[in-house]
Amino acid sequence: DYVWRGFSQSDEGPAVQGGADLTYGNFYAGTWASSGDFGDGTDAEWDFYAGLNATTGSVAWDFGVTYYTYVGDPGGSDYDFVEFKVAASQSFGDFTLGGSVNYSPDFYGADEKATYAEINGAYALNDQWSVSGGIGQQWLDVGDDYSTWNLGASVNLTEKLSLDLRYWDADVSSPLSDPRAAVTLGVSF
């Protein structure tokens, strides 16, 4: 199940995802795609992003922009949108605390402006296991604002293979935002 900010993007079914990044110094750019199902002919999400990483003392910063596109979306859906991000994180030994704010001037579908803020953390239990989670708030112009959170554990099975088990929930009433667990198998090259 592809869950994004508490909502299933694959009609509660499995999703296949992949992406590639390029970096040059502090600059990065990349693309990422996932199969999807909105029940209206939309087949996939395909994102393009770029940004700049920086550090101030022990704080790591990420300033980025993402263009979200949707393959097969119905005409006039206005699903595609641009979102700007400012994120910061700091490590305290094996614990990392982070936060981000995302803003879109013309958000997915009917909304105009939208803002999403999240606080997240991760703790490395050892070289193989870690636990992580986040709490977020989505503010919308047209739809109802809502909160979401997730908590999960990850294990590095090999140098290239990882497994993540995560629980998601949101305080909005919708079959696609009901509490759910999702398993992700990741392969890096």
Side-chain angles (χ1 to χ4, degrees), residues 119-143:
I119 297 172
N120 51 61
Y123 182 74
L125 300 170
N126 52 43
D127 290 343
Q128 191 175 8
W129 287 89
S130 64
V131 293
S132 62
I135 300 172
Q137 176 70 33
Q138 180 77 67
W139 291 277
L140 302 166
D141 262 2
V142 176

Side-chain angles (χ1 to χ4, degrees), residues 47-127:
D47 304 339
F48 303 89
Y49 51 85
L52 183 68
N53 292 314
T55 56
T56 306
S58 60
V59 178
W61 294 90
D62 179 3
F63 303 93
V65 59
T66 301
Y67 177 47
Y68 296 82
T69 67
Y70 295 87
V71 179
D73 59 322
S77 65
D78 194 28
Y79 286 172
D80 298 356
F81 67 98
V82 173
E83 189 173 65
F84 301 92
K85 171 183 70 175
V86 176
S89 64
Q90 183 167 0
S91 293
F92 305 91
D94 293 330
F95 178 69
T96 301
L97 180 65
S100 65
V101 175
N102 300 269
Y103 171 78
S104 176
D106 185 13
F107 193 61
Y108 165 90
D111 283 285
E112 291 298 322
K113 294 175 284 203
T115 304
Y116 178 76
E118 181 178 283
I119 297 172
N120 51 61
Y123 182 74
L125 300 170
N126 52 43
D127 290 343

